[in-house]
């Protein structure tokens, strides 16, 4: 079989999941290092990460942002795939993933006013793509 089943939309969904896992792994490794070095007890961490460092708090929040948005992305991409209309999501899917990774990366780097504004722009881009997909998919239901 020469034809791949991994459309750009499904590739972006896979990438979104992988990015979420990468952030979660970063949290786990950071905390494990603190525990193994004897600096912290394993049951002493808050879910928000702000008890460790400002970076840890940003890492936990970037991960939470992904967890909050992954179901929405998955619902739309899978809906389009199952309906056989991935042509709706394919053109912007990898751009959506890029905006998500950039939003997280900026979040990890800084909380300056400029960084927060840039992070918002990346979030707005994602919301725009997702909103467009919802409208296009709903319009198909009317036909």
């Amino acid at each position: 079989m020469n034809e791949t089943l991994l459309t750009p939309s499904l590739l972006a969904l896979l990438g979104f999941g992988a990015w979420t896992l990468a952030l979660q792994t970063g949290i786990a490794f950071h905390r494990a290092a603190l525990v193994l070095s004897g600096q912290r007890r394993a049951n002493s961490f808050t879910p928000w990460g702000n008890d460790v460092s400002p970076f840890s708090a940003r890492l936990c929040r970037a991960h939470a942002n992904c967890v909050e948005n992954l179901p929405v992305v998955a619902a739309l991409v899978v809906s389009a795939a199952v309906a056989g209309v991935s042509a709706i999501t394919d053109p912007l899917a990898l751009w959506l993933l890029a905006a998500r990774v950039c939003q997280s990366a900026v979040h990890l780097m800084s909380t300056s006013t400029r960084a927060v504004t840039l992070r918002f722009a990346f979030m707005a881009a994602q919301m725009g793509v997702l909103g467009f997909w919802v409208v296009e998919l709903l319009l198909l239901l009317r036909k």
Side-chain angles (χ1 to χ4, degrees):
M1 176 189 268
N2 293 338
E3 214 176 303
T4 180
L5 297 176
L6 197 58
T7 64
S9 297
L10 292 175
L11 180 61
L13 182 57
L14 177 63
F16 201 120
W19 180 247
T20 305
L21 178 61
L23 293 171
Q24 183 178 22
T25 302
I27 294 166
F29 277 118
H30 186 71
R31 291 179 177 190
L34 292 171
V35 170
L36 293 174
S37 69
Q39 296 177 48
R40 296 288 299 263
R41 291 172 30 140
N43 63 348
S44 69
F45 297 99
T46 66
W48 307 277
N50 58 351
D51 60 323
V52 176
S53 69
F55 175 79
S56 177
R58 292 192 309 274
L59 178 58
C60 288
R61 193 60 220 149
H63 172 258
N65 287 159
C66 288
V67 169
E68 292 161 0
N69 288 284
L70 183 55
V72 177
V73 174
L76 298 177
V77 167
V78 170
S79 293
V82 169
V85 291
S86 289
I88 290 173
T89 56
D90 282 349
L92 296 174
L94 294 174
W95 288 107
L96 176 84
L97 176 60
R100 166 51 55 188
V101 171
C102 288
Q103 179 187 356
S104 299
V106 171
H107 199 162
L108 294 175
M109 288 188 271
S110 176
T111 57
S112 71
T113 301
R114 183 175 290 203
V116 170
T117 301
L118 184 58
R119 196 172 83 216
F120 175 78
F122 287 127
M123 183 193 71
Q126 292 167 76
M127 291 174 65
V129 169
L130 294 169
F132 174 74
W133 288 351
V134 166
V135 169
E136 290 297 310
L137 290 167
L138 287 175
L139 286 175
L140 277 180
L141 289 175
R142 294 183 67 195
K143 293 181 180 181

